[in-house]
C-alpha cells in the first residue's frame, strides 16, 4: 500500500446512511493506524459552511439551478484548497461525506442541468482533482426517506418530490458504472450488515494497493 493519503468520498441519496458509513470508515482507518480528516460537502470550511447554510435554508427560496451549481463548486474549490489537498499532502486520508458526484446527481439528475455544463464547471473548479475511492450507498428512495422521516424541519432539498430523488438515485448508479474508483454498496440491510459491506470494501481497496 502507498503511504500517502487517499480521498474517500461517500455518496448517495437522502437517508441512505452516509454519516453512519463515515463512522465505519473512520473506525477502519483507526484500526489500520492511518491518520485521517473527516469532512463534508457542502461545507468543511468557514466559507463552505456559510454557503451550506444558504443552500439548505428554505428561506433562500428557489435558487436558480446555475447559481446553485456555482455555489456547490465555490464551496468545493475552497474545501479542496483549504482542507483536502493540505491533508493529503501531510499523508492523511480524507473521508468526505458527499463530493462532486452529488452535484451530478442533484444539480444534474435532480435539477436538470446538463452533464456538459457540470463537467465544464468541474474542470474549472477541480482541474482534474478526483477521489481515489467513492462509496455509493444505494437504497430504494422510499426506504431512505423513511429513515429520516422522524427528523424535524425539512431543508430546501428534503422538500422535493419523490421523482426528484428517483432521478438522483439513478444518476448515482449511472455514474458508478463509469469509473473504476466507484463501489456500490447495498445499503438496505441493517446497520451491522451495511458496516460489514463497507469494511469488506475497504479491505479490498487496501489489498489492491491503490
Ligand atoms: N447537495 C447538492 O445538491 N449538491 C452537491 O454537490 C452536494 C450536496 C455536495 C446536504 O446533504 C444537501 O446538499 C443534500 C444534497 C445537497 N440534500 N439534502 N437534504 P447532507 O449530506 O447533509 O444531507 P442528507 O443527504 O440529507 O444526509 P442525511 O439525510 O443525514 O442522510 P445520511 O447521512 O445518508 O444518513 P445517516 O444520517 O447516516 O442515517 C439516517 C438515519 O438512518 C439515522 O437515523 C441512522 O441511524 C439510520 N440508519 C443509518 N443506517 C441505517 C441502516 N442500515 N438501517 C436502518 N437505519 C439506518
Amino acid at each position: 500500500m502507498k503511504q500517502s493519503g487517499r480521498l474517500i468520498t461517500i455518496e448517495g441519496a437522502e437517508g441512505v446512511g452516509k454519516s453512519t458509513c463515515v463512522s465505519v470508515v473512520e473506525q477502519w482507518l483507526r484500526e489500520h493506524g492511518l491518520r485521517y480528516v473527516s469532512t463534508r460537502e457542502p461545507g468543511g470550511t468557514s466559507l463552505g459552511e456559510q454557503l451550506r447554510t444558504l443552500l439548505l435554508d428554505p428561506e433562500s427560496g428557489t435558487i436558480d439551478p446555475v447559481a446553485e451549481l456555482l455555489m456547490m463548486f465555490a464551496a468545493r474549490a475552497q474545501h479542496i484548497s483549504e482542507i483536502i489537498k493540505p491533508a493529503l499532502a501531510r499523508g492523511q486520508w480524507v473521508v468526505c461525506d458527499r463530493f462532486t458526484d452529488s452535484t451530478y446527481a442533484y444539480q444534474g439528475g435532480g435539477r436538470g442541468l446538463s452533464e456538459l455544463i457540470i463537467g465544464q464547471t468541474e474542470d474549472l473548479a477541480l482541474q482534474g482533482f478526483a477521489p481515489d475511492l467513492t462509496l455509493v450507498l444505494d437504497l430504494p428512495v422510499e426506504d431512505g426517506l423513511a429513515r429520516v422521516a422522524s427528523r424535524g424541519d425539512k431543508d430546501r432539498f428534503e422538500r422535493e418530490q419523490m421523482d426528484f430523488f428517483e432521478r438522483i438515485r439513478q444518476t448515482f448508479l449511472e455514474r458508478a458504472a463509469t469509473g473504476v474508483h466507484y463501489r456500490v454498496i447495498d445499503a438496505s440491510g441493517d446497520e451491522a450488515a451495511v458496516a460489514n459491506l463497507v469494511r469488506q470494501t475497504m479491505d479490498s481497496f487496501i489489498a489492491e494497493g491503490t
Side-chain angles (χ1 to χ4, degrees), residues 11-22 40-43 52 55-56 68 72-73 76 97-107 111 137 139 144 146-148 150-151 155-159 164-165 168 187-195:
E11 298 278 15
E14 316 299 306
V16 290
K18 294 181 304 301
S19 311
T20 314
C21 178
V22 166
R40 69 172 181 180
E41 292 206 347
R52 180 188 179 90
L55 283 159
L56 268 58
E68 193 175 87
M72 292 295 176
F73 273 116
R76 184 162 302 129
D97 189 337
R98 293 195 182 280
F99 198 64
T100 307
D101 290 294
S102 281
T103 311
Y104 281 93
Y106 281 78
Q107 282 64 55
R111 303 286 192 222
L137 300 183
L139 184 67
R147 285 182 185 175
V148 295
S150 60
R151 284 203 299 230
D155 69 35
R156 216 172 49 81
F157 292 96
E158 290 166 343
R159 293 173 184 222
F164 177 82
F165 297 112
I168 283 163
S188 62
D190 62 20
E191 285 195 27
V194 178

Side-chain angles (χ1 to χ4, degrees), residues 1-2 4-8 28-29 34 93 131-135 180-183 198-210:
M1 184 189 47
K2 294 176 189 168
S4 52
R6 290 285 177 269
L7 171 59
I8 302 173
W28 185 95
L29 290 169
L34 295 165
W93 288 49
D132 297 290
L133 175 68
T134 297
L135 307 181
V180 292
H181 74 281
Y182 291 102
R183 306 284 186 280
V198 171
R199 296 177 67 84
Q200 284 167 19
T201 304
M202 293 303 299
D203 288 342
S204 310
F205 178 66
I206 220 165
E208 288 158 13
T210 40

